[in-house]
Amino acid sequence: FTGVELLSTDDGALFVAGAAAHLSCGLHAEFPGGDHLVVLLRIRSLAADPQLDPLVFHASTFRTLRIDPAAEGAVTGTTS
């Protein structure tokens, strides 16, 4: 994170400055999942900037979201 501006909260959480969203979470539950542990978090607070595009990582690649003009309000994904 060298050169990345970070914001911190009173309880020690770190957020990337200028991110589209910040979610402050706490542990709600843990579940065994084979050789993994599935963790369920409870969102304590959320801050979002609707003027910024989200960063989406899906199917091993970064993608962008856009409104599908053919369907009112529908969102489609594209590979960036």
Side-chain angles (χ1 to χ4, degrees):
F1 290 99
T2 302
V4 174
E5 182 183 354
L6 298 175
L7 306 172
S8 62
T9 64
D10 292 338
D11 61 355
L14 295 175
F15 299 102
V16 175
H22 296 152
L23 285 85
S24 179
C25 302
L27 180 62
H28 178 74
E30 297 177 341
F31 305 96
D35 62 346
H36 290 76
L37 184 63
V38 178
V39 177
L40 182 61
L41 300 175
R42 178 180 302 273
I43 298 173
R44 291 189 210 139
S45 66
L46 165 68
D49 184 345
Q51 301 301 314
L52 295 176
D53 291 332
L55 178 62
V56 179
F57 188 76
H58 175 71
S60 299
T61 190
F62 287 102
R63 300 173 181 271
T64 59
L65 297 177
R66 64 179 173 79
I67 300 296
D68 182 351
E72 184 176 332
V75 177
T76 60
T78 60
T79 304
S80 52

